[in-house]
Amino acid sequence: MGEAPAFVVDDLLQNQDGFDSKSKGCKITTTIGDKTYVIGGENDESTLSLEVQIFDKATGNCATPIVLGAKPSSCKGLSAVSLNDDRILIVKKGSTPDDCIWFLEVDTRFVREQKKIQGTDVVAWSRGARGYAEKPVVISGPSGVGKGTLISMLMKEFPSMFGFSVSHTTRAPRCMEKDGVHYHFTERSVMEKELKDGKFLEHALVHGNLYGTSIEAVEAVTDTGKRCILDIDVQGARSVKASSLEAIFIFICPPSMEELETRLRSRGTETEEQILKRLQNAKKEMEQGQSSGIFDHILYNDNLDECYESLKKLLGLDGAVAATQRSAPQGIDLPADHSVSKMDNKIIINCGTAELKKASKNLIVLDVSSLKGGAPGRTRGLDVYAIDSFSDGLNGINQPS
Ligand SMILES: Nc1ncnc2c1ncn2[C@@H]1O[C@H](COP(=O)(O)OP(=O)(O)OP(=O)(O)O)[C@@H](O)[C@H]1O
Ligand SMILES: Nc1nc2c(ncn2[C@@H]2O[C@H](COP(=O)(O)O)[C@@H](O)[C@H]2O)c(=O)[nH]1
């Protein structure tokens, strides 16, 4: 904690024009209520890193909060606008189309929860993305029931449609398992540190080892435009259900406990002690899976092919053409030279470049009325279109061209 930088105080004294964001050199300040968020910092002459400080007007103190989520890469400048008093939209100058719109969440549900957990100020970064991603699919069930087998079948038949969320685990790799493909195999102390740093969507102690889904694992799949599949235990499914990630939850049951034991033993990957532990835990998981209200669908994996057909049916894939290609979500192509203002739910980016003037489209509108998701993860649902300020007029903002 320290005193406010001089330029913040200057800005606060001069902030009489009603606009909530001001830029000064390499930093921008945005005031929401009693707090002024100072975003930016210097790297070298041409790029700046996006550090965050909070100036509290009530106490006169300036503090560095805990910053969650992957941080935006350095840029050549930035503009900022506050949205609904709970997040700040940042437009990075001179960035690639998929990396120019970011949100700094300062008072969203996720941030409020994290403030309670951490006992200090917290903010969270979330990258903006156009359009919507299909809901992720969470698959749970006792060890050995066939989750992995069913997921492999789905990924093999629909390779361009589904992507697997690669979990972290502290358990040792099995002989055919590859790091980064089946799991990110990690040390317990490393994973505990990453958990503390807010890098995980969920985690649980399963059969004596730590397992967890990192935010990055889910984003890596959804950024490719594919639908994300999570293979996680019931505790993890409960955490995801309570999170801001909207998903479809499927629980897989074995035909009997005897058959489950047969499958676990015939897989031959666990020691006798581990098999007994997994079977013991399976009883609890079966009870919770069928009665917790977490799961939208329960499937019985007796005959594998029949179960797979049922899985496809509930995902709307019966009769689907396997070769259907998905394209990755489009980015946003913004010129480096622009200024930003706000009109209701629309952010207007004025691109006063000669090129765009020639193309007679010099305003880009970001419609933020249908945002979804957010930290931890991407903020989706940005609608982006260009208009001409001369012929379309500002009324044209309501009419995407
Ligand atoms: N319907 C089925 N009938 C017979 N064997 C099956 C069936 N489904 C899966 N199996 C077999 O059961 C074993 C366990 O399956 P799998 O590894 O997919 O389970 P899992 O639920 O992913 O387990 P874990 O949670 O431990 O990762 C495998 O050897 C697999 O071939
Ligand atoms: N809560 C989570 N559970 C996970 C995750 N990844 C896997 N799992 C579950 O662990 C057990 C055991 O898996 P195994 O590979 O050791 O046999 C199984 O039920 C998985 O569903 C995770 O990220 N989070």
Side-chain angles (χ1 to χ4, degrees):
M1 188 147 324
E3 288 197 357
F7 84 89
V8 175
V9 178
D10 282 357
D11 278 355
L12 293 173
L13 292 175
Q14 292 163 20
N15 198 1
Q16 305 294 329
D17 58 6
F19 194 61
D20 53 23
S21 294
K22 298 201 158 274
S23 88
K24 192 91 170 187
C26 307
K27 293 185 174 149
I28 194 147
T29 63
T30 297
T31 300
I32 299 176
D34 269 353
K35 294 194 172 168
T36 295
Y37 298 87
V38 184
I39 306 160
E42 275 163 274
N43 270 9
D44 56 47
E45 278 176 11
S46 57
T47 62
L48 62 110
S49 67
L50 276 75
E51 311 300 337
V52 182
Q53 281 181 294
I54 304 176
F55 173 67
D56 187 331
K57 283 198 265 179
T59 61
N61 284 321
C62 205
T64 303
I66 292 180
V67 182
L68 300 177
K71 186 178 134 186
S73 58
S74 303
C75 59
K76 295 195 184 322
L78 63 147
S79 313
V81 183
S82 87
L83 295 183
N84 304 326
D85 286 355
D86 65 1
R87 69 196 71 199
I88 300 166
L89 183 147
I90 306 286
V91 183
K92 286 170 63 186
K93 299 186 180 183
S95 297
T96 53
D98 62 349
D99 190 46
C100 56
I101 307 292
W102 283 78
F103 294 85
L104 182 71
E105 297 194 7
V106 299
D107 195 33
T108 54
R109 195 182 101 191
F110 173 68
V111 166
R112 284 196 299 272
E113 282 166 9
Q114 292 297 321
K115 276 181 193 171
K116 264 193 223 151
I117 295 168
Q118 306 279 357
T120 184
D121 257 325
V122 172
V123 294
W125 284 111
S126 167
R127 195 164 79 193
R130 283 177 96 161
Y132 299 100
E134 276 186 283
K135 282 184 183 175
V137 182
V138 171
I139 299 192
S140 284
S143 177
V145 73
K147 302 177 297 294
T149 307
L150 289 162
I151 292 170
S152 299
M153 290 166 85
L154 208 53
M155 306 252 306
K156 194 170 172 203
E157 188 176 359
F158 302 99
S160 64
M161 212 175 262
F162 294 97
F164 185 61
S165 156
V166 181
S167 294
H168 282 58
T169 182
T170 59
R171 87 152 159 74
R174 295 173 186 146
C175 60
M176 297 303 284
E177 285 179 331
K178 287 200 182 98
D179 189 29
V181 176
H182 298 94
Y183 280 106
H184 298 289
F185 295 101
T186 180
E187 294 294 320
R188 195 167 183 129
S189 58
V190 174
M191 188 157 166
E192 279 171 349
K193 163 86 172 61
E194 289 179 345
L195 284 168
K196 205 161 168 276
D197 291 345
K199 295 206 165 134
F200 284 81
L201 181 65
E202 65 75 32
H203 71 279
L205 194 61
V206 190
H207 318 311
N209 283 298
L210 265 182
Y211 292 76
T213 309
S214 71
I215 295 162
E216 205 180 326
V218 176
E219 294 307 343
V221 176
T222 48
D223 282 354
T224 63
K226 294 184 185 181
R227 192 169 188 181
C228 187
I229 306 186
L230 288 80
D231 175 347
I232 58 178
D233 86 320
V234 177
Q235 307 169 74
R238 185 178 285 112
S239 305
V240 174
K241 188 93 178 179
S243 79
S244 56
L245 189 80
E246 277 184 61
I248 292 183
F249 295 80
I250 302 170
F251 188 77
I252 315 282
C253 283
S256 65
M257 291 308 278
E258 291 73 31
E259 172 64 14
L260 185 71
E261 181 166 353
T262 306
R263 288 183 195 172
L264 257 184
R265 289 188 183 283
S266 62
R267 190 170 72 182
T269 49
E270 266 67 40
T271 63
E272 181 62 22
E273 191 191 351
Q274 285 162 347
I275 289 174
L276 295 177
K277 187 182 259 181
R278 283 174 183 241
L279 288 172
Q280 193 61 36
N281 291 338
K283 290 183 195 144
K284 280 181 264 161
E285 288 187 276
M286 293 288 288
E287 277 167 26
Q288 291 168 5
Q290 289 169 297
S291 65
S292 58
I294 299 170
F295 295 95
D296 305 308
H297 306 277
I298 295 180
L299 292 180
Y300 284 85
N301 183 18
D302 188 353
N303 177 293
L304 182 60
D305 291 333
E306 283 174 18
C307 184
Y308 179 58
E309 287 307 314
S310 305
L311 177 62
K312 285 204 292 183
K313 198 166 181 187
L314 68 85
L315 293 174
L317 293 168
D318 42 339
V321 181
T324 305
Q325 284 299 320
R326 298 267 153 143
S327 56
Q330 281 178 294
I332 301 159
D333 213 352
L334 284 181
D337 178 17
H338 62 255
S339 61
V340 172
S341 56
K342 184 167 109 179
M343 191 183 266
D344 301 325
N345 277 325
K346 297 182 174 66
I347 309 303
I348 296 129
I349 305 177
N350 194 335
C351 319
T353 61
E355 258 170 45
L356 277 152
K357 272 185 182 153
K358 252 190 253 156
S360 79
K361 296 283 177 203
N362 67 333
L363 294 184
I364 289 177
V365 179
L366 290 186
D367 187 331
V368 291
S369 56
S370 306
L371 294 184
K372 279 216 170 257
R378 304 280 181 261
T379 302
R380 299 189 180 275
L382 276 176
D383 188 15
V384 186
Y385 49 93
I387 61 166
D388 173 6
S389 61
F390 306 109
S391 57
D392 296 340
L394 286 182
N395 292 336
I397 285 169
N398 294 321
Q399 302 289 324
S401 54

